Amino acid sequence: MSRPFMSIQLRERILFRVLQLIVVVNVIAFSNSKPVLNKPDFPCKPPHFDSYPFCNTSLSISTRAKSLISLLTLQEKIQQLSDNASAIPRLGIPAYEWWSESLHGIASNGPGVNFNGTVSSVTSFPQVLVSAASFNRSLWSNIGSAVAVEARAMYNLGQAGLTFWAPNINIFRDPRWGRGQETPGEDPMVVSAYAVEFVKSFQGENWKSDDGGIGFGFREKRVLKGFGEESDRGDELMLSACCKHLIAYDLEKWGNFSRYSFNAMITEQDTEDTFQPPFRSCIEQGKASCIMCSYNQVNGVPACLRGDLFQKARNEWGFKGYITSDCDAVATIFEYQNYTKTHEDSAAGVLKADKGKVQEKDIDRALLNLFSVQLRLGLFNGDPRKGKYGKLGPDDVCTSEHKKLALDAARQGIVLLKNDKKFLPLNKNAVSSLAIIGPLVNNISQMGGGYTGIPCSPKSLLRGLEAYVSKTHYASGCHDVPCNSDAGFHEAVRIAKKADFVIVVAGLDLTQETEDRDRVSLLLPGQQMSLVTSVARTSKRPVILVLTGGGPLDVSFAEADSQISSILWIGYPGEAGAKALAEIIFGDFNPGGRLPMTWYPESFTKVPMNDMNMRADSSRQYPGRSYRFYTGTQVYGFGHGLSYTNYSYKFLSAPSELTISASLKAGSDKNILQQTGSRLDYVHIDEVTSCTSLRFHVQISVTNAGDVDGSHVVMLFARVPKVSQGTPEKQLIGFDRVHTVAKGSKEISFGVDPCEQLSIANKHGRRILPLGNHVLMVGELRHSLTIETY
């Protein structure tokens, strides 16, 4: 079918008028009222709309997508570029809402999800930072699979879409960031690994089906766009995951800086080894089908106009998918950043990712990416309930398996920070009474943190602990988490005096840290510190302190106080967090979580949050950021976490030297001449042709020296020669979580690719492999490895 002739001038006027409408619609909030639906509407319905070529499943994805695009008018095309794509009745294509959220379970944030139908609740897994603290790839994968099953089930019931905007894989750079809780932490390797596991599983890689059965390998609008050549990739998707937010987004609202206008100035060095790796991994290995560009500018250019980043994603990393702006990120280019002169220029620039005016071919390219993803999802294959995932329904949501997985994730993610004289675990048969104090003790609404749905079986911390000790007394101490009054202290102290054991729950909730809200202090909010110390001074025995929230806290006072015997961080543990905490306190589960980010002292708040540099700079008394570069004092370090047992390590095998011989590409002599002295200090990775031959394995024996079985996180670090400015103090090159029995040992093997894991970024953003003495580290154990060339 061909379109009627239209003059170029008229077509341009229509084009920019509709672009203008898209941007205007961008600022309209969604209503909270969502209809109750019994089934999803879908294209290619027989008998009238199933004969189009785009409905023909025997054709390639690109052929079907191009056929659909060829049938659309210009106005219909543009109306597909917002998150709520308009219906095309004459082709039998219903409206589609791209925006659904699934950060750690199906969330109610996006307009694509509603809980007013058959499914009224979903499994609420721990917030991402807590799951990351497990350092368990298989756990992350299983969570992705479980969330995917519940999402597809809700789609089949008309309660969710197929395109979800998760995970958040920005680096948790600054401890004050309100959305750090949503991320897997501060280490690029860990964040990358999480992204790969979650995305692959969520998009269906772990799906197993037998006659419909399942198994595991266990309010604003946005402009949707695409860049690069079309995809002819027919890879089937169970759901579409979106890696966000590209790039260097980790500031909400701090001082005079706002995420809508903040210009993140990042070096090529930090880009290469900190901000970029998670996105590269999410695309190259995770095969994510969506990227979200962020609000902020990057080195003076709005992130959604950084065509160089998008081209790198497509041409170098192999990205085959669609790109979406964050909420209103297109409008902010004009309204907050004043980067363009009009709304139309912003929309046009985003679609082209440069400063030129948009042409219809740019829209067609964007649509090709959008429709290709929808086609891979099976959206144009007819009734989805007759497809591969069609039998998923209400019985596949809030299953006993998913609830158990949520409990296991909370167990594995909780971190024991302090345990003087092995105060924990408590003997549940020897505790006559228990006092539980804190404003969040009897609150279930804050257990999940940000981007949470309606949980299946939420339980307060009070209820979880009451299951172990029937004689339990509760006092809030503070009216709420901000704790601006000590009016409740008297009651808290009263019950603490009488109780056999005392637990104080302190920390953060979403009034302190969330989207659009950063913290200004790392101390406990309000008078919470006074509450903790008041209770500790009057209790019969040392108290147990439980910390909530996603942001690091300066609890140096508690670490140093002998009246506070034990400290546990539970973060936002999800619907099963109460049971997990109680199991750990009373010894039914041995904690093994590790902190996925550094906990800084309050003095760190003197460091400007808008300073994006990762590396320390002594000339301006800048301490750096993250365990790789931070040179200041810390409350708790990255990877800190205690257990009820003790572990020791032994290197079983690891090479002592590696030689790069006759393997440098032609022209490498220039590299040698540029280095000072007669000795070669490093080689550029892109000049090495033998990276594969350099790979090796490190075998380590892990021994549980105690009397308690435990699940233990083994972390292998490397310290490389300081041949370049900004060399990390150390960097994580391998991690795994292994189960060990008391007095037993287990062997573990890490594969190491020196070109990837022992290399560093120089100041120009090029990766170099230092030559000389490298040190491999696990716990207190060290192993020397010399890398040389000739």
Side-chain angles (χ1 to χ4, degrees):
M1 181 183 298
S2 60
R3 294 191 304 273
F5 174 81
M6 184 183 299
S7 72
I8 294 177
Q9 291 81 4
L10 178 59
R11 288 170 62 78
E12 286 183 348
R13 285 200 298 272
I14 293 176
L15 173 64
F16 285 106
R17 176 54 182 156
V18 180
L19 280 172
Q20 184 181 38
L21 288 173
I22 289 175
V23 177
V24 171
V25 171
N26 266 347
V27 299
I28 298 177
F30 283 101
S31 167
N32 289 325
S33 176
K34 300 175 183 177
V36 177
L37 304 175
N38 297 315
K39 59 183 180 180
D41 203 358
F42 57 91
C44 299
K45 283 183 182 177
H48 303 295
F49 299 109
D50 60 343
S51 59
Y52 292 105
F54 61 78
C55 298
N56 186 346
T57 58
S58 67
L59 300 176
S60 70
I61 293 294
S62 63
T63 299
R64 295 172 70 187
K66 289 175 182 177
S67 172
L68 174 53
I69 294 168
S70 71
L71 299 175
L72 304 181
T73 66
L74 180 59
Q75 184 167 347
E76 287 171 339
K77 288 179 180 180
I78 297 175
Q79 289 173 336
Q80 297 298 305
L81 297 178
S82 187
D83 72 275
N84 59 345
S86 300
I88 310 173
R90 65 185 183 85
L91 298 179
I93 299 176
Y96 180 76
E97 177 55 69
W98 288 83
W99 182 6
S100 295
E101 299 282 0
S102 60
L103 184 67
H104 54 110
I106 308 305
S108 54
N109 300 66
V113 173
N114 77 79
F115 289 96
N116 297 329
T118 305
V119 172
S120 58
S121 61
V122 293
T123 309
S124 177
F125 294 94
Q127 181 59 284
V128 174
L129 194 68
V130 179
S131 293
S134 72
F135 286 86
N136 187 338
R137 288 179 174 86
S138 62
L139 175 69
W140 302 338
S141 176
N142 288 339
I143 290 174
S145 294
V147 177
V149 166
E150 298 197 355
R152 260 289 178 170
M154 291 184 72
Y155 170 75
N156 290 342
L157 296 165
Q159 291 184 247
L162 291 172
T163 45
F164 289 79
W165 291 342
N168 182 340
I169 58 170
N170 292 114
I171 296 295
F172 198 167
R173 176 188 62 92
D174 191 287
R176 292 161 286 190
W177 186 29
R179 298 186 72 175
Q181 57 175 290
E182 300 176 24
T183 78
E186 72 179 26
D187 183 73
M189 180 191 179
V190 175
V191 177
S192 297
Y194 180 91
V196 171
E197 297 298 336
F198 183 88
V199 169
K200 286 168 66 175
S201 298
F202 186 77
Q203 293 193 157
E205 181 173 290
N206 288 357
W207 173 264
K208 296 178 181 178
S209 178
D210 181 13
D211 192 29
I214 62 171
F216 302 104
F218 268 143
R219 242 131 324 166
E220 304 90 334
K221 313 276 180 156
R222 316 180 186 214
V223 173
L224 309 177
K225 58 200 181 78
F227 298 92
E229 296 303 316
E230 69 273 11
S231 168
D232 195 28
R233 184 176 155 158
D235 307 36
E236 183 182 77
L237 293 170
M238 183 177 183
L239 296 156
S240 171
C242 192
C243 296
K244 62 184 187 182
H245 312 79
L246 190 70
I247 189 171
Y249 166 49
D250 52 20
L251 180 150
E252 301 298 307
K253 195 173 184 180
W254 179 83
N256 295 324
F257 297 92
S258 163
R259 62 178 176 165
Y260 303 115
S261 57
F262 177 56
N263 180 18
M265 299 298 294
I266 56 177
T267 66
E268 292 177 323
Q269 194 173 28
D270 288 340
T271 298
E272 170 61 30
D273 72 0
T274 297
F275 299 110
Q276 185 172 277
F279 290 93
R280 178 175 181 173
S281 296
C282 199
I283 293 166
E284 282 188 339
Q285 300 172 57
K287 307 299 181 186
S289 50
C290 169
I291 298 172
M292 178 184 291
C293 55
S294 56
Y295 293 114
N296 54 279
Q297 294 186 5
V298 180
N299 296 337
V301 180
C304 289
L305 292 181
R306 287 296 299 262
D308 57 334
L309 291 177
F310 306 136
Q311 292 298 337
K312 175 178 283 191
R314 292 197 184 278
N315 299 335
E316 296 182 24
W317 305 341
F319 176 57
K320 305 293 183 183
Y322 76 97
I323 300 172
T324 176
S325 71
D326 205 339
C327 290
D328 282 350
V330 177
T332 60
I333 293 172
F334 167 69
E335 294 176 356
Y336 284 85
Q337 300 173 15
N338 300 313
Y339 192 83
T340 57
K341 296 181 179 179
T342 65
H343 279 302
E344 293 88 344
D345 286 342
S346 295
V350 164
L351 284 169
K352 290 180 67 67
D354 63 28
K355 298 180 181 178
K357 292 294 190 289
V358 69
Q359 299 179 26
E360 189 168 1
K361 66 180 182 180
D362 300 306
I363 294 175
D364 288 351
R365 186 170 63 248
L367 291 176
L368 186 59
N369 293 315
L370 292 171
F371 290 139
S372 293
V373 169
Q374 288 185 326
L375 286 160
R376 292 174 62 194
L377 288 163
L379 193 61
F380 290 84
N381 292 354
D383 192 341
R385 292 171 300 174
K386 295 180 180 179
K388 182 176 180 179
Y389 312 104
K391 293 186 178 181
L392 293 173
D395 292 341
D396 300 297
V397 181
C398 290
T399 64
S400 59
E401 292 84 359
H402 292 178
K403 292 179 182 179
K404 183 179 178 181
L405 181 61
L407 173 60
D408 199 33
R411 287 168 173 161
Q412 293 191 39
I414 290 175
V415 182
L416 179 62
L417 298 172
K418 177 185 179 182
N419 196 26
D420 282 355
K421 299 178 181 178
K422 298 183 178 180
F423 190 83
L424 291 179
L426 302 182
N427 183 343
K428 54 190 171 186
N429 298 317
V431 179
S432 61
S433 63
L434 193 65
I436 310 173
I437 297 163
L440 288 174
V441 169
N442 202 26
N443 185 321
I444 62 174
S445 65
Q446 297 280 354
M447 293 290 283
Y451 284 79
T452 298
I454 300 175
C456 309
S457 306
K459 183 180 290 186
S460 69
L461 298 178
L462 175 61
R463 297 292 171 255
L465 292 163
E466 281 180 335
Y468 280 82
V469 181
S470 58
K471 191 176 180 181
T472 294
H473 302 280
Y474 156 68
S476 65
C478 300
H479 174 69
D480 52 20
V481 169
C483 195
N484 294 318
S485 170
D486 62 359
F489 284 22
H490 177 75
E491 176 63 13
V493 169
R494 186 187 70 80
I495 67 169
K497 286 181 178 179
K498 294 183 177 181
D500 196 10
F501 289 87
V502 178
I503 299 172
V504 182
V505 180
L508 310 171
D509 69 354
L510 297 183
T511 67
Q512 306 299 303
E513 53 172 7
T514 188
E515 186 166 2
D516 214 22
R517 180 180 293 118
D518 293 321
R519 288 187 292 155
V520 295
S521 172
L522 301 181
L523 299 176
L524 290 173
Q527 299 189 49
Q528 283 193 31
M529 186 189 303
S530 296
L531 173 65
V532 174
T533 54
S534 297
V535 170
R537 281 197 301 266
T538 57
S539 64
K540 299 175 183 177
R541 293 184 174 89
V543 304
I544 300 161
L545 176 61
V546 175
L547 299 174
T548 64
L553 291 161
D554 183 350
V555 287
S556 303
F557 79 96
E559 176 65 27
D561 191 342
S562 61
Q563 277 300 107
I564 299 173
S565 63
S566 305
I567 305 175
L568 287 154
W569 176 73
I570 65 171
Y572 296 105
E575 67 175 57
K579 181 174 175 59
L581 174 63
E583 287 181 345
I584 288 173
I585 287 177
F586 290 99
D588 287 341
F589 188 85
N590 185 0
R594 304 277 200 110
L595 289 180
M597 87 163 293
T598 304
W599 281 31
Y600 303 85
E602 174 67 1
S603 59
F604 189 86
T605 58
K606 297 177 183 177
V607 176
M609 191 173 176
N610 62 301
D611 191 326
M612 299 293 292
N613 287 284
M614 297 299 297
R615 269 87 178 162
D617 185 349
S618 58
S619 68
R620 57 189 183 95
Q621 298 183 319
Y622 183 73
R625 298 173 182 274
S626 86
Y627 78 94
R628 292 182 301 147
F629 307 109
Y630 178 60
T631 56
T633 59
Q634 55 189 20
V635 180
Y636 296 114
F638 171 86
H640 176 74
L642 306 177
S643 170
Y644 294 155
T645 188
N646 299 311
Y647 296 92
S648 62
Y649 308 102
K650 181 180 180 181
F651 280 108
L652 298 178
S653 68
S656 296
E657 59 181 44
L658 293 175
T659 302
I660 306 175
S661 59
S663 59
L664 298 181
K665 294 180 180 177
S668 296
D669 54 339
K670 296 179 181 178
N671 168 33
I672 297 174
L673 292 173
Q674 289 172 357
Q675 297 186 44
T676 59
S678 58
R679 185 172 62 88
L680 186 64
D681 293 327
Y682 60 84
V683 294
H684 287 103
I685 293 301
D686 56 11
E687 295 175 348
V688 178
T689 60
S690 62
C691 283
T692 301
S693 65
L694 294 175
R695 294 173 183 169
F696 61 89
H697 282 84
V698 176
Q699 287 186 292
I700 298 170
S701 173
V702 184
T703 299
N704 182 340
D707 300 321
V708 182
D709 294 354
S711 178
H712 181 60
V713 175
V714 183
M715 308 178 82
L716 179 64
F717 292 91
R719 178 176 291 127
V720 307
K722 294 193 174 183
V723 300
S724 177
Q725 184 178 358
T727 299
E729 298 298 314
K730 64 178 180 178
Q731 55 192 28
L732 186 67
I733 63 171
F735 66 88
D736 201 359
R737 188 168 181 129
V738 296
H739 184 75
T740 60
V741 297
K743 306 299 184 183
S745 297
K746 184 160 287 188
E747 293 183 7
I748 185 172
S749 179
F750 293 107
V752 179
D753 182 340
C755 289
E756 289 289 331
Q757 294 158 286
L758 300 182
S759 66
I760 59 175
N762 66 14
K763 64 180 182 179
H764 303 295
R766 290 186 66 188
R767 296 205 73 87
I768 60 174
L769 178 60
L771 301 176
N773 186 45
H774 294 245
V775 181
L776 305 180
M777 304 177 288
V778 55
E780 299 299 318
L781 205 59
R782 302 289 183 267
H783 176 83
S784 293
L785 167 65
T786 301
I787 302 180
E788 297 294 351
T789 187
Y790 62 85

